[in-house]
């Protein structure tokens, strides 16, 4: 990927295809715009239905999202851990979640005939960890543990690419508090930190009342991106600002204020879900703390999921056109791409090292751009062809080195694909423009 410490497009493994010939994927399997764009532009590759390879550009975006999440978790004292992917099914029996058959569960047996679950979520695993060291002194709480890992769900209809996978990346957090009051405070704090994560991603979202479903507990909220492809329906009351997943209420009247006409119904993609669990898991699995008077108290829990791989696809889905991928700055694999002239062109000899020097300068003057500038060094291709590729891949700032760069004074052509405008700028103006117009 890197030549002389620079990110160079010629070295990136990005199999661009119109139709994936090698995979067993047929066009009928492509059910959403984001899935098609991410496959065709070499961000992901399907391994089997609902399972995807993250290729370098896709993984770079995922890592940016992970960094935002890690930053925000640090602010609320979230501690990062990693639970095993396999959970002993005894724990699920003890929590009561296996009382009914769960169609989505992937289950495996070891050589000793012990059943394991390929974890779709980790409430039991997290609670069992606390239980194994219980009773824990009240001084350790609130305790906020989170992980970022693959989750497994044998979805009836894996579709829309990363949006509904059978193996997908989730950030899940489990919180433990000594009493209901402090657990509610934790719930509010985590929700606020999720608001900040979504503010930083920069896609419009709504937080709505959600159903607790099979997870249990007494209160839950969902974070939704508004999108026509979304599988959830959301009711928003313009009269009292109440909003909820339609699963929880009728679609004609606001359950909060009774309003019947000022109701807005939308479809959304669920990108996050928070649950106030109380003692639903801690009681049966025995996760307790010792209180000030040395009495054992059952811990109060919360569970908080962010569908990281789904968020990437949903962001692309919301922003892109049918033919061009678009990213929010915060998640784009690169924010700037530089196109030097074609090999053998008139400009080539006069612009030697101009692209490399500009690359270095951009990174020096704008430290947040470090690792986020890409050099399209495929100079056997025309500028026009490389420009179309860059536009289709959604790079926000495309800098072209051309005839104007060889003149005195010298200028660069900057294409701002988010604003859909082309500017001719001096080096100083160019750096300033990129600095002002990139959200980090
Ligand atoms: P859905 O209703 O879409 O099936 P869920 O309510 O079952 O999702 P949760 O158990 O709340 O999902 O999981 C937390 C988050 O993980 C969800 O908000 C979503 O963003 C993400 N997620 C859930 N299932 C999938 C999946 N099959 N593929 C990708 N992401 C998923
Ligand atoms: Mg959910």
């Amino acid at each position: 990927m890197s030549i002389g410490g620079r990110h160079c497009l010629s070295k990136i493994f990005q199999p661009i295809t119109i139709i994936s010939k090698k995979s067993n994927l047929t066009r009928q399997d492509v059910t959403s715009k984001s899935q098609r764009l991410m496959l065709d532009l070499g961000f992901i590759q399907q391994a089997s239905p609902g399972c995807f390879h993250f290729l370098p550009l896709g993984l770079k975006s995922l890592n940016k999202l992970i960094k935002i999440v890690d930053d925000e978790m640090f602010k609320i004292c979230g501690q990062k851990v990693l639970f095993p992917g396999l959970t002993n099914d005894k724990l699920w029996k003890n929590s009561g979640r296996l009382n009914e058959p769960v169609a989505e569960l992937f289950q495996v047996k070891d050589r000793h005939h012990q059943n394991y679950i390929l974890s779709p979520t980790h409430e039991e695993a997290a609670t069992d960890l606390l239980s194994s060291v219980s009773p824990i002194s009240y001084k350790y709480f609130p305790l906020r543990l989170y992980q970022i890992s693959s989750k497994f769900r044998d979805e009836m209809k894996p579709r829309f690419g990363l949006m509904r996978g059978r193996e997908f990346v989730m950030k899940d957090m489990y919180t433990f508090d000594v009493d209901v009051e402090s657990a509610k405070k934790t719930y509010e704090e985590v929700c606020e930190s999720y608001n900040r994560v979504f503010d930083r991603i920069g896609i419009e979202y709504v937080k709505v009342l959600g159903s607790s479903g099979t997870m249990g507990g007494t209160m839950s909220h969902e974070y939704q991106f508004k999108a026509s492809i979304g599988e959830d329906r959301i009711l928003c009351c313009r009269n009292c600002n109440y909003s909820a997943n339609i699963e929880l209420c009728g679609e004609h009247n606001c359950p909060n204020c009774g309003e019947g006409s000022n109701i807005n119904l939308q479809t959304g993609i669920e990108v996050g879900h928070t649950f106030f669990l109380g003692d639903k898991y801690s009681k049966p699995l025995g996760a307790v703390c010792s209180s000030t008077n040395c009495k054992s108290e059952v811990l109060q829990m919360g569970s908080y999921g962010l569908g990281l791989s789904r968020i990437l696809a949903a962001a692309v889905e919301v922003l892109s056109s049918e033919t061009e991928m678009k990213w929010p700055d915060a998640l784009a694999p690169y924010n700037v791409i530089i196109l030097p002239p074609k090999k053998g062109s008139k400009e080539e000899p006069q612009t030697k090292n101009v692209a490399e020097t500009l690359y270095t300068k951009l990174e020096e003057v704008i430290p947040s751009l470090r690792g986020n500038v890409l050099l399209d060094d495929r100079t056997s291709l025309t500028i026009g062809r490389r420009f179309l590729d860059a536009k289709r891949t959604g790079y926000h700032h495309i800098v072209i080195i051309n005839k104007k760069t060889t003149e005195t004074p010298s200028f660069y052509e900057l294409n701002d694909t988010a604003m859909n405008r082309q500017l001719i700028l001096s080096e100083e103006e160019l750096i300033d423009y990129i600095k002002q117009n990139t959200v980090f």
Side-chain angles (χ1 to χ4, degrees):
M1 195 131 108
S2 129
I3 298 179
R6 281 183 287 270
H7 291 253
C8 293
L9 188 48
S10 68
K11 295 287 173 236
I12 293 181
F13 179 54
Q14 184 192 6
I16 295 185
T17 45
I18 300 305
I19 294 176
S20 311
K21 289 197 201 78
K22 284 215 171 124
S23 76
N24 49 9
L25 193 77
T26 65
R27 284 283 107 170
Q28 286 94 306
D29 293 322
V30 178
T31 41
S32 71
K33 180 171 68 184
S34 56
Q35 180 185 15
R36 195 183 61 244
L37 290 166
M38 293 178 98
L39 287 166
D40 286 353
L41 293 168
F43 280 65
I44 56 171
Q45 181 74 18
Q46 178 161 317
S48 51
C51 302
F52 294 87
H53 302 284
F54 268 87
L55 303 185
L57 291 178
L59 188 61
K60 195 158 189 296
S61 288
L62 180 66
N63 282 334
K64 284 195 169 180
L65 179 55
I66 289 175
K67 180 162 185 316
I68 293 175
V69 171
D70 284 339
D71 263 12
E72 293 303 332
M73 287 301 105
F74 181 70
K75 290 182 194 162
I76 59 161
C77 298
Q79 300 184 58
K80 200 169 185 176
V81 295
L82 186 57
F83 301 120
L86 291 175
T87 303
N88 192 314
D89 83 340
K90 280 183 194 148
L91 294 177
W92 278 60
K93 284 183 179 145
N94 291 345
S95 71
R97 262 210 275 202
L98 278 189
N99 289 348
E100 304 282 320
V102 189
E104 280 84 35
L105 277 190
F106 277 109
Q107 304 198 53
V108 290
K109 224 184 239 316
D110 73 8
R111 64 181 74 211
H112 308 293
H113 308 289
Q114 172 59 52
N115 284 324
Y116 286 87
I117 289 163
L118 281 179
S119 305
T121 179
H122 280 84
E123 282 73 21
E124 284 82 354
T127 314
D128 183 55
L129 168 68
L130 269 282
S131 164
S132 66
V133 288
S134 285
I136 311 164
S137 162
Y138 68 94
K139 291 181 195 147
Y140 283 101
F141 298 95
L143 183 63
R144 298 164 181 179
L145 302 178
Y146 79 99
Q147 67 168 342
I148 291 174
S149 70
S150 290
K151 298 285 183 280
F152 303 88
R153 296 186 185 181
D154 193 1
E155 296 279 356
M156 168 104 88
K157 277 194 199 152
R159 56 182 175 163
F160 308 140
L162 295 182
M163 272 194 265
R164 185 167 296 286
R166 296 197 300 161
E167 177 174 349
F168 59 95
V169 183
M170 199 204 284
K171 175 263 171 184
D172 43 331
M173 180 179 227
Y174 306 93
T175 62
F176 303 88
D177 278 277
V178 294
D179 54 35
V180 173
E181 200 186 329
S182 49
K184 291 218 156 124
K185 194 161 160 275
T186 289
Y187 188 84
E188 291 306 321
E189 276 183 45
V190 179
C191 284
E192 277 162 28
S193 90
Y194 277 20
N195 292 344
R196 288 194 295 273
V197 167
F198 287 111
D199 287 341
R200 285 175 68 172
I201 292 170
I203 304 277
E204 198 190 337
Y205 68 94
V206 277
K207 180 184 166 206
V208 304
L209 276 174
S211 133
S212 296
T214 53
M215 196 71 83
T218 51
M219 173 169 56
S220 121
H221 290 90
E222 293 170 358
Y223 288 80
Q224 299 267 357
F225 284 173
K226 294 177 194 168
S228 54
I229 205 168
E231 296 179 288
D232 287 285
R233 295 184 67 218
I234 318 157
L235 173 146
C236 299
C237 172
R238 293 200 189 92
N239 191 40
C240 70
N241 281 334
Y242 173 91
S243 43
N245 192 311
I246 210 87
E247 287 168 5
L248 286 182
C249 50
E251 28 190 291
H252 303 297
N253 289 77
C254 170
N256 193 41
C257 72
E259 175 68 36
S261 54
N262 226 349
I263 295 278
N264 182 21
L265 286 176
Q266 282 170 326
T267 48
I269 303 171
E270 182 194 316
V271 283
H273 204 158
T274 58
F275 299 88
F276 184 85
L277 296 174
D279 60 7
K280 158 119 199 298
Y281 295 88
S282 44
K283 201 169 173 186
L285 296 175
V288 295
C289 68
S290 55
S291 63
T292 33
N293 54 13
C294 289
K295 260 181 56 195
S296 280
E297 300 278 359
V298 175
L299 289 164
Q300 298 291 320
M301 289 177 58
S303 158
Y304 312 82
L306 286 178
L308 299 191
S309 42
R310 183 182 285 184
I311 289 173
L312 287 191
V316 169
E317 188 69 37
V318 170
L319 296 181
S320 303
S321 73
E322 287 296 331
T323 50
E324 286 175 359
M325 187 181 232
K326 289 266 189 307
W327 288 94
D329 278 349
L331 302 183
Y334 293 95
N335 302 95
V336 181
I337 184 164
I338 305 174
L339 277 53
K342 185 173 190 285
K343 200 189 282 167
S345 66
K346 276 203 294 286
E347 295 79 25
E348 193 206 8
Q350 301 165 58
T351 52
K352 264 209 157 27
N353 296 327
V354 169
E356 289 80 357
T357 310
L358 178 66
Y359 184 114
T360 308
K361 216 168 211 170
L362 277 166
E363 285 202 342
E364 265 170 22
V365 181
I366 315 170
S368 321
L369 269 187
R370 249 173 234 155
N372 292 314
V373 183
L374 181 62
L375 188 65
D376 190 348
D377 59 339
R378 301 171 306 158
T379 51
S380 56
L381 301 176
T382 62
I383 289 262
R385 163 68 205 280
R386 281 178 285 150
F387 175 70
L388 285 180
D389 280 353
K391 211 158 163 270
R392 213 150 74 93
T393 317
Y395 295 116
H396 183 163
H397 300 293
I398 307 172
V399 182
I400 297 180
I401 294 168
N402 58 19
K403 191 160 166 279
K404 291 198 176 66
T405 322
T406 65
E407 294 165 356
T408 319
S410 96
F411 292 98
Y412 295 90
E413 178 185 314
L414 174 72
N415 293 273
D416 181 330
T417 57
M419 304 296 284
N420 204 9
R421 66 179 172 214
Q422 191 187 73
L423 300 131
I424 305 297
L425 302 171
S426 69
E427 185 180 280
E428 198 181 322
E429 288 166 341
L430 174 82
I431 294 175
D432 200 48
Y433 184 92
I434 292 174
K435 193 171 175 181
Q436 301 300 329
N437 290 282
T438 312
V439 182
F440 294 105

